């Protein structure tokens, strides 16, 4: 993803979840997506759908995290 897209997504996540600790970071060796973090904790991946220009956020929830 381009740096301006990452900045816009970063601002969106912080605003939508009311959490200034959220960060969207570029992925090394991947240009079609970015990583989402809260502090140092990885949350998921945000992908851009090139066909329609929308973004999709994917977050896995581990069973051990629900305990």
């Amino acid at each position: 993803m381009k740096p301006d897209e990452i900045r816009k997504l970063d601002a969106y996540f912080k605003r939508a979840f009311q959490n200034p600790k959220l960060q969207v970071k570029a992925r090394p060796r991947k240009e079609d997506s970015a990583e989402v973090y809260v502090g140092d904790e990885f949350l998921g991946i945000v992908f851009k759908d090139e066909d329609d220009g929308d973004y999709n956020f994917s977050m896995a929830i581990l069973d051990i995290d629900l305990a």
Side-chain angles (χ1 to χ4, degrees), residues 4 12 22 24 26 31-32 37 41 51 53 55-57 64:
D4 63 317
Y12 169 78
L22 280 163
V24 179
E31 295 182 12
D32 64 342
Y37 290 84
E41 186 174 347
D51 293 334
Y55 297 90
N56 296 300
F57 177 59
I64 61 170

Side-chain angles (χ1 to χ4, degrees), residues 5-62:
E5 289 177 297
I6 291 173
R7 281 192 298 276
K8 288 177 184 178
L9 287 165
D10 185 76
Y12 169 78
F13 275 97
K14 287 176 180 170
R15 185 174 61 251
F17 294 103
Q18 300 176 2
N19 189 339
K21 293 182 180 181
L22 280 163
Q23 296 177 22
V24 179
K25 300 179 182 180
R27 294 179 75 189
R29 300 182 298 274
K30 297 280 186 176
E31 295 182 12
D32 64 342
S33 55
E35 298 176 342
V36 180
Y37 290 84
V38 172
D40 292 334
E41 186 174 347
F42 174 78
L43 282 186
I45 303 288
V46 60
F47 295 92
K48 183 174 184 179
D49 185 335
E50 294 295 333
D51 293 334
D52 58 18
D54 292 338
Y55 297 90
N56 296 300
F57 177 59
S58 177
M59 179 177 141
I61 301 170
L62 303 176

